[in-house]
Amino acid sequence: MSRPSRARGGYGTVVVLGLLGALVFWLSGLTGNTAGEDAEELARLRAGDGVQVTGTMTGSRERQQASRRTMVTVHCAVYTFATRDAGSSSFTSDVCARDAADLPATGSTAPVIYDPDGWSRFLDTDDTAERLDRDAHAHPWYRWGGLALAVACAALLVRRLLSRLPRSRAGVRDGIGR
């Protein structure tokens, strides 16, 4: 008497979904929650650890950014500012646009806050703080959703494999599997 066969792809689908979940979890861990760390860093600098200065938009830099299904080129504003030790520094802000003409005008100014003992630099605006806070709360869903998918698929695979073990042992014990 033959046992009914399971639908093809049962294990394969679970394995693929589990691997995708693990991959999402791993990749989100590699990129880290930079928005969350940046939000905390900006809050720390705004609480008194940072130096507030005026930055001047001196140019732009191009970079590639993911957009739905493709990579697009965006232009990001570069701000230069005088540091406390009479030097100057510049940073590429997260103010980016697909068209360079949509950026602030070269020579325009904006408030900048920086860490005199580190590398942190931000546009010191409420918009920057709100965006970082919003992004910080969105990121963990990818990480923990990927982990939940991987764990659920692993548990399902283990359950399926364990459910097959008693049948195999019973068959051998009764002399059927010889």
Side-chain angles (χ1 to χ4, degrees):
M1 173 185 232
S2 68
R3 189 168 39 140
S5 65
R6 294 186 184 233
R8 288 184 170 240
Y11 288 109
T13 302
V14 172
V15 168
V16 168
L17 286 175
L19 289 174
L20 283 175
L23 182 65
V24 167
F25 179 75
W26 178 67
L27 287 175
S28 63
L30 281 181
T31 60
N33 188 359
T34 58
E37 293 166 2
D38 286 348
E40 291 173 6
E41 181 69 2
L42 178 58
R44 181 185 70 81
L45 295 177
R46 285 180 136 187
D49 290 344
V51 176
Q52 296 173 325
V53 295
T54 299
T56 303
M57 207 290 226
T58 55
S60 67
R61 289 204 174 110
E62 290 183 357
R63 71 176 176 149
Q64 295 295 309
Q65 178 175 306
S67 173
R68 299 220 177 205
R69 297 181 184 170
T70 62
M71 295 296 283
V72 296
T73 300
V74 295
H75 305 272
C76 303
V78 175
Y79 286 90
T80 302
F81 58 94
T83 59
R84 188 166 58 183
D85 61 359
S88 70
S89 185
S90 66
F91 74 103
T92 303
S93 79
D94 54 1
V95 175
C96 301
R98 286 191 180 186
D99 186 0
D102 293 335
L103 291 175
T106 300
S108 63
T109 61
V112 171
I113 192 166
Y114 73 97
D115 184 351
D117 301 320
W119 293 97
S120 300
R121 293 140 167 70
F122 299 96
L123 286 179
D124 190 14
T125 64
D126 291 337
D127 287 342
T128 300
E130 289 169 7
R131 184 187 46 76
L132 290 174
D133 284 337
R134 183 179 57 248
D135 291 350
H137 296 316
H139 177 82
W141 290 107
Y142 294 111
R143 182 162 178 80
W144 301 118
L147 179 62
L149 181 61
V151 168
C153 290
L156 185 59
L157 277 174
V158 168
R159 181 175 175 222
R160 282 187 177 182
L161 291 173
L162 290 176
S163 71
R164 296 185 81 185
L165 286 178
R167 286 188 205 138
S168 299
R169 289 181 184 160
V172 170
R173 188 180 35 211
D174 295 335
I176 298 172
R178 292 182 192 192

